Amino acid sequence: MTLSYAHGTGDTALLGDTIGANLARTAATWPDREALVDVPAGRRWTYAEFAADVGRLACALLASGVAKGDRVGVWAVNRAEWVLVQYATARVGAVMVNVNPAYRTHEVEYVLRQAGVSLLFASIEHKGSDYRAMVDEVRPSVPELRRTVYFGDPSWEEFAALGAEVPTEELNSREAELSCDDPINIQYTSGTTGFPKGATLSHHNILNNGYFVGELVAYTEQDRICVPVPFYHCFGMVMGNLAATSHGACIVIPAPSFEPRATLEAVQRERCTSLYGVPTMFIAELNLPGFAEYDLSTLRTGIMAGSPCPVEVMKRVVAEMHMAEVSICYGMTETSPVSLQTRVDDDLEHRTGTVGRVLPHLEVKVTDPATGITLPRGEAGELCTRGYSVMLGYWEEPEKTAEAIDTGRWMHTGDLAVMREDGYVEIVGRIKDMIIRGGENIYPREIEEFLYAHPKIRDVQVVGVPHERYGEEVLACVIPLDAADPLTLDELRAFCRDRLAHYKIPSRLQLLDAFPMTVSGKVRKIELRRTHGS
């Protein structure tokens, strides 16, 4: 019997750098290669220019009185200034607090207070959200917030100009005080109940994770990475930005927030070699009118994460988007984020049926949620991970940290997983998403994967909803391929009959135009249950 435990080995050592030191090395090696392109703003930086602007902004942070360990918030959609702040805060040892752009006053007030943010960088507005008005509203309740700087506003230019007051030697002196184990980033996880928790991450956590994600898709200084996923999330700022800068690759920003047309235009115009997204983003791109007219021939790889990729979607991504080396990643904010990843030469089945195998220098295991005992391979249990990527803890919440990270330093993910004999891992659902119907355990992912093959279904999510007799019943929430020819429940059940066990067949169907999503592109199943479960 082989246990569900795997340890990632490799010939490449972990990086012992701070983020600032790593950027300096990259800029010295490839000063003339492009580092950053902000497509909607029409701006671009070589590595020499990018490092210089990061240095000037770091000096401005020093001039404004930012001390090592001070919390600096960023509440903004994607743009070049976001990236500059990310690296500048790292150079002075400030803790950057990522604030979800979808947050409103109630949530942003909590985050600013809980993290003790003293300086906030923010968008002015985006898609009807007036960030300046919201900051003004919460400011009286956030006494530690002493300054707000808005991107695209004179306040940004005024702040950046402060850098001229501080000599480079002062910045070098500050950097000499920094350790790669210092906390450098707080990312608030989207809690399903109560307020979100602030996962606290170090240079060592996120720099190494970005670096090894990039290693596994074979990034070099020749790569150009299109990043339509949000920077506020690990997917954007770690797997995108840090994977790029640790390899001398270029970060391409296609739009402030995800737009399928802008993404494809950026790939075509900037000759991108890699494209990121959650499966719903790729589905939107593939279904865009005129999709076939875009020249995507420069693409070779990319990363899909956030939720499982349907087989048919993966086939099209490989065949029609030229992403033969696309990689699936699995992780969570608390693990910086990636712990499992498919390799560039994995076959279609491994890329769609699993989330890959463990990264170098990390450990994973599948345990019995009740006893904590490691299960044999092939049995479903809770996925746990351990290693350099595990967060320092939740910001100022030791009790919640202890609930997530056990005494052996294993991070408990809350995900139900099966480790195959070859070490690849299947995610079969969230422990809390598992449907229990009349004593039978049902994993929504299995039903979703099956239903994707129905010719009338564009996208589908399966959730459990209350049932008087069985405890729960199966609800299929479907976005139809053609709104003029909608799917019926009878058609759905006929499609499943004799092909799924009777208790897995949906007893309810809800047709939708779109799914409720988080800003990072994940479907909010809890909202589907709440809205359509009665």
Side-chain angles (χ1 to χ4, degrees):
M1 178 185 72
T2 306
L3 291 177
S4 297
Y5 169 87
H7 171 223
T9 59
D11 297 329
T12 305
L14 287 167
L15 302 175
D17 296 336
T18 62
I19 290 169
N22 185 261
L23 176 62
R25 184 178 298 111
T26 299
T29 306
W30 297 290
D32 298 325
R33 294 208 67 85
E34 280 195 330
L36 177 64
V37 177
D38 186 340
V39 174
R43 298 177 297 170
R44 54 188 69 229
W45 286 256
T46 64
Y47 266 100
E49 293 165 342
F50 179 69
D53 279 0
V54 166
R56 279 190 286 271
L57 185 57
C59 286
L61 290 169
L62 294 180
S64 72
V66 172
K68 177 184 174 182
D70 281 358
R71 274 76 66 206
V72 175
V74 186
W75 187 28
V77 290
N78 289 12
R79 57 184 292 150
E81 288 85 351
W82 206 111
V83 187
L84 292 170
V85 170
Q86 176 184 349
Y87 288 83
T89 50
R91 286 198 64 181
V92 302
V95 180
M96 183 175 71
V97 180
N98 299 12
V99 186
N100 186 332
Y103 280 177
R104 292 300 172 260
T105 51
H106 180 61
E107 299 146 316
V108 78
E109 178 185 335
Y110 172 79
V111 166
L112 296 178
R113 286 173 60 91
Q114 204 271 334
V117 170
S118 57
L119 170 63
L120 176 66
F121 292 92
S123 292
I124 299 173
E125 63 84 31
H126 182 68
K127 292 185 176 179
S129 295
D130 187 337
Y131 293 94
R132 196 192 302 267
M134 287 189 279
V135 170
D136 289 343
E137 183 178 335
V138 304
R139 188 187 296 276
S141 304
V142 188
E144 291 188 51
L145 182 62
R146 53 185 176 79
R147 185 169 191 168
T148 304
V149 176
Y150 294 96
F151 296 152
D153 178 78
S155 62
W156 166 260
E157 300 299 334
E158 292 165 9
F159 185 87
L162 296 175
E165 301 173 10
V166 174
T168 303
E169 292 74 25
E170 188 173 330
L171 177 57
N172 294 340
S173 177
R174 170 67 66 84
E175 286 194 286
E177 302 171 5
L178 306 182
S179 161
C180 67
D181 294 318
D182 291 335
I184 202 66
N185 185 213
I186 298 175
Q187 301 209 20
Y188 280 85
T189 62
S190 49
T192 53
T193 58
F195 284 107
K197 303 182 292 289
T200 307
L201 306 170
S202 67
H203 294 269
H204 196 66
N205 288 148
I206 60 178
L207 175 59
N208 275 291
N209 204 254
Y211 176 68
F212 279 100
V213 166
E215 285 287 285
L216 293 182
V217 290
Y219 281 156
T220 72
E221 73 279 6
Q222 303 293 329
D223 281 293
R224 300 174 67 79
I225 308 166
C226 185
V227 186
V229 294
F231 288 149
Y232 97 88
H233 191 271
C234 273
F235 199 170
M237 68 159 282
V238 178
M239 299 155 70
N241 298 349
L242 286 168
T245 59
S246 60
H247 289 88
C250 180
I251 303 159
V252 176
I253 305 171
S257 59
F258 176 65
E259 297 173 22
R261 189 175 304 281
T263 300
L264 297 182
E265 287 173 353
V267 169
Q268 175 177 273
R269 193 167 90 180
E270 295 297 329
R271 314 297 289 163
C272 293
T273 60
S274 177
L275 173 60
Y276 287 10
V278 298
T280 51
M281 291 180 176
F282 284 96
I283 291 169
E285 290 155 6
L286 289 163
N287 286 298
L288 191 68
F291 164 79
E293 297 169 13
Y294 290 96
D295 179 4
L296 309 178
S297 60
T298 55
L299 287 174
R300 68 165 181 87
T301 189
I303 292 175
M304 242 190 258
S307 58
C309 179
V311 173
E312 295 306 313
V313 175
M314 178 62 77
K315 286 179 180 176
R316 291 191 65 194
V317 166
V318 170
E320 299 173 41
M321 300 183 85
H322 309 281
M323 294 170 61
E325 298 177 15
V326 65
S327 182
I328 299 294
C329 288
Y330 164 86
M332 59 193 305
T333 305
E334 291 90 337
T335 56
S336 303
V338 180
S339 50
L340 297 158
Q341 185 173 353
T342 60
R343 293 355 188 215
V344 294
D345 56 352
D346 280 340
D347 59 26
L348 178 69
E349 194 283 325
H350 277 89
R351 290 186 200 177
T352 55
T354 80
V355 290
R357 51 191 168 95
V358 66
L359 264 65
H361 306 292
L362 295 178
E363 301 170 88
V364 293
K365 65 178 180 178
V366 177
T367 66
D368 183 321
T371 66
I373 300 297
T374 304
L375 295 168
R377 294 197 180 188
E379 291 191 20
E382 183 178 21
L383 180 66
C384 301
T385 185
R386 180 168 70 179
Y388 75 82
S389 68
V390 174
M391 66 175 179
L392 302 178
Y394 293 119
W395 183 259
E396 295 190 341
E397 294 194 274
E399 291 182 2
K400 290 183 178 178
T401 301
E403 291 171 7
I405 303 173
D406 65 27
T407 54
R409 287 294 297 170
W410 287 98
M411 177 74 209
H412 289 251
T413 68
D415 281 326
L416 287 165
V418 174
M419 185 179 290
R420 297 180 175 183
E421 287 298 328
D422 61 6
Y424 282 75
V425 174
E426 302 173 39
I427 303 296
V428 295
R430 291 287 290 170
I431 291 175
K432 67 177 188 297
D433 285 344
M434 186 175 70
I435 302 167
I436 304 177
R437 181 190 181 277
E440 296 280 5
N441 291 351
I442 301 171
Y443 304 114
R445 163 85 198 277
E446 177 192 1
I447 304 172
E448 289 163 357
E449 192 65 50
F450 172 75
L451 293 179
Y452 273 117
H454 193 289
K456 286 190 174 184
I457 291 177
R458 171 171 292 178
D459 206 351
V460 57
Q461 293 291 319
V462 169
V463 296
V465 294
H467 186 274
E468 188 173 329
R469 178 179 176 188
Y470 295 112
E472 286 187 293
E473 63 179 333
V474 179
L475 165 66
C477 298
V478 168
I479 299 175
L481 192 63
D482 182 358
D485 185 22
L487 180 71
T488 68
L489 180 59
D490 286 343
E491 287 174 323
L492 182 70
R493 293 178 64 81
F495 183 74
C496 297
R497 195 171 298 123
D498 300 326
R499 300 167 76 186
L500 285 181
H502 71 90
Y503 62 86
K504 297 179 185 177
I505 297 175
S507 54
R508 294 176 54 185
L509 170 66
Q510 183 72 46
L511 299 179
L512 300 172
D513 296 325
F515 297 135
M517 310 287 282
T518 68
V519 73
S520 57
K522 293 184 181 180
V523 176
R524 288 182 51 80
K525 286 199 170 189
I526 190 169
E527 193 169 322
L528 289 175
R529 283 193 292 269
R530 186 188 305 124
T531 306
H532 305 292
S534 57

